[in-house]
Amino acid sequence: MTAMTLPPARYSFGGDEHLFVEISEEMSLPAFFKSMAICNALRQRALPGVSEICPANAAYLLRFDPDLMAPRELLATLQQIEAGLGAADLHLRTRIVEIPVFYGDPWTHETLMRFRERHQDPNSTDIEYAARINHLASVEAFIDAHSSAPWFVSMVGFVAGLPFLYQMVERQRQLQVPKYLRPRTDTPRLTLGHGGCFGCIYSVRGAGGYQMLGVTPAPIFDPAQSLSYFKDLMVFFQPGDIVKFKPIDAAEYARQVQQVESRDYQLRIRPVAFSLPDFMADPDGYNQQLLKVLHGD
């Protein structure tokens, strides 16, 4: 199935100012690409009255002023855009980013131990549980499966700057981990989480229900825009970004935290052209090409 062969989208008005469009009942890269293509086309048209365009995992939400854009006119425009999608909409100019991760760190470990009564398995850590239910032999094998293939940022939200990430492998190989039985009231800032088929990075400290796998030293939300990669926006990630996780140890984590504090921290970021048909034809081979772009090979 491709973005062009998905069933027609479902359109639902929410009050007077919102229109919710469901591309698919389940997340997939074709559904994501279709949503992105429609949102991009809508931005290019700059319709009067459309003030917000918010893409999500397999849907998108619009906010509009009904005094400037009649609801039925907006609906007809979106249906026209959807019907006109073609092969060119299966390609995306984006960027690939390397995010370092200290898996099994002491801060998320201390936090998860405080909330074991809310977990499916109080006798193991989150990452041990994740490895076991994915039928992997060890935590190390889970880390390898988690960090070896890139991830798409499918949406940004819940709290400011938090990215939802979708693993770029065949569906049968995607890591699946249920959320906590009851959400925690605390999650360390910059925790790498996983719930269902989605990964995330908690941009700020707060409540959360995803399994905690580790932490990254890389800020992803900076209202002060103090680091160079925040020069344009205080929120780093955008839908369509591609992320490659890189395991690091405690010493490297401490070194990078010091760089953040001294304001000379840099992320490895490279522009890349992504083709959904080429990826679907050979996911592993295409991912290797993406990693060559990331590392300048």
Side-chain angles (χ1 to χ4, degrees), residues 20-86:
F20 176 72
V21 185
E22 184 182 58
I23 300 297
S24 174
E25 291 184 352
E26 61 181 11
M27 173 61 186
S28 67
L29 287 181
F32 167 74
F33 262 75
K34 184 174 181 178
S35 176
M36 285 289 294
I38 295 172
C39 289
N40 289 338
L42 191 59
R43 289 190 186 95
Q44 291 172 6
R45 295 197 182 196
L47 297 177
V50 176
S51 58
E52 294 182 57
I53 304 172
C54 182
N57 296 321
Y60 62 95
L61 179 69
L62 303 180
R63 184 177 184 184
F64 66 99
D65 185 340
D67 293 329
L68 299 176
M69 170 64 70
R72 294 300 169 186
E73 182 180 352
L74 176 60
L75 175 60
T77 300
L78 294 175
Q79 291 172 327
Q80 179 190 49
I81 292 173
E82 180 184 4
L85 295 178

Side-chain angles (χ1 to χ4, degrees), residues 158 178-184 187 194-195 202 207-211:
F158 180 68
K179 296 186 288 185
Y180 273 47
L181 298 175
R182 289 188 294 132
R184 301 176 303 274
T187 307
H194 198 104
Y202 287 83
Y210 279 20
Q211 307 287 335

Side-chain angles (χ1 to χ4, degrees), residues 2-3 16 37 39 70 77 81 90 101 113 127 141 158 160 166 183 199 203 207 222 236 238 246-247 264 274-275 282:
T2 71
D16 296 330
C39 289
T77 300
I81 292 173
L90 300 178
V101 178
M113 293 304 293
I127 198 167
F158 180 68
Y166 186 76
S203 53
D222 182 8
F236 175 65
Q238 300 295 316
K246 178 183 178 181
D264 58 0
F274 184 86
S275 166
D282 180 14

Side-chain angles (χ1 to χ4, degrees), residues 17-18 23 36 41 43 55 59 98 101 146 148 153 170 188 202-203 231 239 248 267 272 278 294:
E17 298 183 346
H18 295 88
I23 300 297
M36 285 289 294
R43 289 190 186 95
E98 185 174 80
V101 178
H146 190 273
S148 59
V153 176
E170 298 93 337
Y202 287 83
S203 53
K231 65 180 180 179
I248 59 174
L267 283 173
V272 67
D278 291 347
L294 178 63

